[in-house]
Amino acid sequence: MISENLKTFLSDEVMAKAPVSEPERQRYFIERLKGFYSAEGGAGLKSCIVTFGCQMNARDSEKLDGILSTIGFKPEEDEQSADIVLFNTCTIRENANEHLYGRLGRLKQVKRSDPDRIIGICGCMMQEADEIETIKKKYPYVDIIFGTHNFHTFPELLFKLLRKREGIMDPIPYEGSGLVADSSEDALRQEKLLRYGSGKKELDKLNRKPIVSVWTDSSNIVEELPSRRKFPFKQGINIMFGCNNFCSYCIVPYVRGREKSRRPEDIYEEIKRSAAEGVKEIMLLGQNVNSYDGGIRFPELLKNIDGITKGSGIERIRFMTSHPKDLSDELIDVMAGGERICRQFHLPMQSGSDAILKRMNRHYDKHAFMEKADKLKSAMPDISLSTDIIVGFPGETERDFEDTLDVVRYVRFDAAYTFIYSKRNGTPAASYTDQVDEALVKDRFDRLLELQNGIAHENLSRLTGTTGRVLFESISEYDDSLITGKLDSGVTVHAKGDISMIGEIHDVRLLECRGFYYIGEVIE
Ligand code: SAH
Ligand code: SF4
Ligand code: F3S
């Protein structure tokens, strides 16, 4: 229970004054929460955000972190000792889900000894109704659940959680086409419990049930809420959200919704602001940046961004991900002529087999993929190509797999992210009956890895003795006399240096190739 004075911060009157439009509404709750926590004497409040999944999730986490820091929370690495822990989840493969449950389980004791701690879960996995049910049943100590379409409403949900703990129920807000789940039944139950005079214990239990608010989609993009960058010198910039491609194995279109592109002006504004704050590298983010459509298309957007960043302090522009089917000659031209656009291209092939690519609904074949890779290389001979490959997609035969190896040998990627196919409920491929035998998949996976590792090492070792520009990002994990950074191509380099060089770009001579990274020497 909190004091009467503190309760006034959470009153119906405060609630009723909240603006209706966004982002003003969430900004209002951020301010009220700030007032509440400072009146509570919350100088030492600590928050921990645990992020799973891709760059899109990482960027969302920075936004959630920005909200929490504005309220007054300081970042804390250890989830066991934070006052609020948020898990930003991924569900791309089954092991991503298992990961979350492991971490949640470890918080059970902590929560038991300190029930006022707040545990929240958001992100892609929360867009799946059955996962929400599992959490409610098996992890009842979770406090807030929200999804990808309404993560900007987090301040409001946190405010409502604090009210609920005092027994004040609110209807759960939503917009758009519907709900995956909410907790409006709690208000009905409370009404019944109060009317029919049930015991205090039941009511207390109800007040401690999670606030759940997960939308199926959203009609607009909410801009202009605070964010706190994980690295002060580099930043992801969302240019679009969602995906319309429905590759038959992939859950993303179901959990991230349909494609929505941000307006170019909003993107430029954000980039200019970041530049003014000292950002050196930006990464334009989208599940398929090549289908960006904010009135102009991606090549033009990229060209404009290269233009506006001239002299701004931003020295590197990256983007991901590009779907091969939509990779245009125009984009290759813009890249080749760009001044700050990194010569790095992530081009996910998934498979080299025409039959499998067709079943995957990828809309290109082996030949077309190799042609795109050739075009990139002939326009930019120094380009670094990377890819994603799935092994063991349903129906994959030895011959299909040989086709994948063929493409890997032909294109000679600098890096390949290889995944064992994981069945995702609700996707078309989950109903295919010809799932591949596990031992066979494992064997193929190992063979692919061996081939690719050899190629990556050969490609990389050619750089020995050359000089490259490195943006230093951190102190080396293994040796604190070394600092670690990345070349334009994305390759990791360790070199002697000190903490003052972090966030700076230096010329580095590449001395020794060790597997997938270099030991270098700073020369300027
Ligand atoms: N939008 C990006 C991919 C995002 S997901 C694109 O189209 O390239 C990142 C990678 O995860 C995919 O490229 C794919 O290789 C892998 N992946 C997606 N769903 C998977 C599944 N069900 N099983 C195994 N790997 C999967
Ligand atoms: Fe998934 Fe395909 Fe969309 Fe990539 S393009 S997110 S693999 S559906
Ligand atoms: Fe995972 Fe969601 Fe990204 S499912 S890969 S975090 S879009």
Side-chain angles (χ1 to χ4, degrees):
M1 273 307 213
I2 57 174
S3 70
E4 285 306 314
N5 177 36
L6 268 179
K7 263 194 193 167
T8 58
F9 284 90
L10 306 174
S11 69
D12 284 340
E13 222 181 319
V14 175
M15 188 75 214
K17 280 196 191 135
V20 177
S21 62
E22 299 291 9
E24 293 76 16
R25 185 171 173 87
Q26 301 311 321
R27 286 216 198 103
Y28 173 88
F29 287 115
I30 292 174
E31 282 310 309
R32 303 285 88 74
L33 285 160
K34 197 168 155 183
F36 173 85
Y37 280 113
S38 86
E40 200 196 25
L45 289 170
K46 290 178 288 184
S47 60
C48 174
I49 302 183
V50 183
T51 312
F52 304 115
C54 64
Q55 271 90 351
M56 247 76 54
N57 257 20
R59 182 66 189 137
D60 289 352
S61 287
E62 290 187 344
K63 294 178 182 171
L64 293 166
D65 197 26
I67 292 169
L68 285 169
S69 76
T70 313
I71 294 171
F73 287 85
K74 299 266 174 308
E76 160 67 51
E77 296 265 316
D78 175 19
E79 63 213 57
Q80 304 277 333
S81 53
D83 301 284
I84 177 161
V85 185
L86 285 182
F87 291 98
N88 193 3
T89 61
C90 171
T91 183
I92 196 84
R93 288 169 287 273
E94 187 59 33
N95 55 9
N97 295 36
E98 285 155 9
H99 211 91
L100 171 76
Y101 290 130
R103 300 283 279 262
L104 267 184
R106 271 175 264 146
L107 280 178
K108 189 172 179 174
Q109 279 312 324
V110 173
K111 180 80 182 190
R112 189 170 283 167
S113 58
D114 180 6
D116 285 343
R117 282 193 196 212
I118 296 170
I119 302 176
I121 315 183
C122 58
C124 296
M125 201 174 146
M126 294 305 99
Q127 292 299 135
E128 296 172 283
D130 50 345
E131 299 293 353
I132 298 175
E133 282 316 305
T134 305
I135 289 169
K136 284 202 226 155
K137 264 198 213 99
K138 295 200 182 148
Y139 307 89
Y141 47 93
V142 168
D143 301 287
I144 307 181
I145 294 174
F146 54 107
T148 57
H149 299 293
N150 66 321
F151 87 93
H152 64 276
T153 66
F154 170 57
E156 177 166 0
L157 299 175
L158 180 55
F159 188 80
K160 287 179 170 171
L161 176 82
L162 297 177
R163 277 165 61 84
K164 191 169 189 237
R165 284 183 172 179
E166 300 308 310
I168 318 166
M169 300 281 173
D170 290 298
I172 298 299
Y174 82 100
E175 59 158 50
S177 49
L179 287 171
V180 178
D182 71 357
S183 32
S184 52
E185 78 274 16
D186 291 355
L188 296 173
R189 184 160 164 80
Q190 186 196 45
E191 215 179 290
K192 280 194 182 152
L193 286 175
L194 289 172
R195 182 176 310 155
Y196 301 114
S198 173
K200 185 174 169 316
K201 218 171 141 200
E202 275 296 299
L203 278 166
D204 282 347
K205 214 169 125 195
L206 186 67
N207 295 347
R208 288 278 162 174
K209 274 180 70 179
I211 293 262
V212 183
S213 176
V214 180
W215 307 352
T216 50
D217 214 335
S218 56
S219 49
N220 52 10
I221 298 169
V222 177
E223 307 263 2
E224 302 294 325
L225 281 168
S227 81
R228 176 162 62 187
R229 272 189 293 280
K230 188 165 175 220
F231 298 99
F233 45 85
K234 68 172 188 177
Q235 188 187 331
I237 309 265
N238 299 110
I239 64 165
M240 57 179 301
F241 302 92
C243 182
N244 289 353
N245 286 310
F246 291 94
C247 302
S248 63
Y249 51 81
C250 184
I251 192 104
V252 171
Y254 306 90
V255 296
R256 285 269 169 181
R258 293 298 65 72
E259 279 176 9
K260 278 185 283 289
S261 295
R262 280 178 82 192
R263 294 187 314 168
E265 309 83 74
D266 291 337
I267 299 171
Y268 305 150
E269 259 323 294
E270 187 177 353
I271 293 175
K272 285 182 197 156
R273 256 197 328 265
S274 307
E277 289 165 15
V279 168
K280 299 257 166 62
E281 174 177 315
I282 53 174
M283 181 177 283
L284 309 175
L285 298 174
Q287 287 298 353
N288 180 9
V289 291
N290 292 336
S291 54
Y292 172 82
D293 191 0
I296 58 172
R297 304 306 304 264
F298 186 58
E300 196 181 336
L301 180 80
L302 186 61
K303 194 171 177 182
N304 293 349
I305 291 175
D306 194 35
I308 61 166
T309 48
K310 194 180 177 90
S312 71
I314 290 176
E315 297 190 41
R316 287 176 165 181
I317 302 168
R318 302 183 193 275
F319 55 87
M320 82 182 302
T321 303
S322 288
H323 194 304
K325 80 176 162 64
D326 303 316
L327 166 58
S328 63
D329 293 350
E330 204 189 339
L331 177 62
I332 299 179
D333 288 346
V334 169
M335 247 187 119
E339 287 180 42
R340 280 158 291 282
I341 306 168
C342 290
R343 298 285 175 92
Q344 177 199 21
F345 209 103
H346 186 64
L347 192 65
M349 69 180 269
Q350 314 301 1
S351 168
S353 146
D354 291 350
I356 295 293
L357 285 167
K358 201 170 171 71
R359 275 190 116 191
M360 285 178 162
N361 196 30
R362 291 289 287 183
H363 299 281
Y364 54 86
D365 59 15
K366 178 182 179 183
H367 179 74
F369 183 87
M370 296 197 294
E371 215 172 55
K372 300 258 176 181
D374 280 342
K375 270 191 180 169
L376 281 163
K377 282 184 177 177
S378 63
M380 293 163 278
D382 58 342
I383 199 164
S384 172
L385 292 180
S386 58
T387 197
D388 291 345
I389 300 170
I390 297 176
V391 180
F393 184 80
E396 184 187 75
T397 63
E398 181 57 27
R399 267 192 71 179
D400 292 320
F401 178 65
E402 286 292 337
D403 278 329
T404 298
L405 296 181
D406 250 12
V407 182
V408 168
R409 272 186 219 107
Y410 180 82
V411 179
R412 301 186 59 82
F413 299 102
D414 285 344
Y417 301 90
T418 49
F419 308 106
I420 287 181
Y421 168 74
S422 170
K423 190 169 157 178
R424 308 314 289 134
N425 281 341
T427 62
S431 61
Y432 298 170
T433 49
D434 45 1
Q435 308 281 333
V436 187
D437 173 75
E438 221 172 286
L440 213 57
V441 176
K442 182 76 184 59
D443 175 62
R444 284 179 192 163
F445 186 82
D446 292 344
R447 281 156 63 203
L448 172 64
L449 213 59
E450 201 186 322
L451 172 66
Q452 173 55 32
N453 285 349
I455 292 172
H457 186 67
E458 273 172 46
N459 285 358
L460 202 59
S461 38
R462 285 206 196 105
L463 297 176
T464 307
T466 63
T467 299
R469 288 171 66 67
V470 174
L471 170 56
F472 285 107
E473 301 187 344
S474 58
I475 302 277
S476 158
E477 269 178 56
Y478 308 104
D479 177 349
D480 60 14
S481 71
L482 297 178
I483 48 175
T484 302
K486 292 222 162 77
L487 289 167
D488 255 19
S489 61
V491 170
T492 299
V493 179
H494 303 279
K496 283 256 180 287
D498 65 78
I499 200 161
S500 66
M501 291 159 74
I502 289 173
E504 295 176 356
I505 299 181
H506 289 272
D507 281 338
V508 175
R509 183 169 300 118
L510 304 175
L511 300 176
E512 190 192 337
C513 178
R514 294 205 188 148
F516 302 110
Y517 64 89
Y518 262 96
I519 299 292
E521 172 189 43
V522 178
I523 50 176
E524 198 185 298

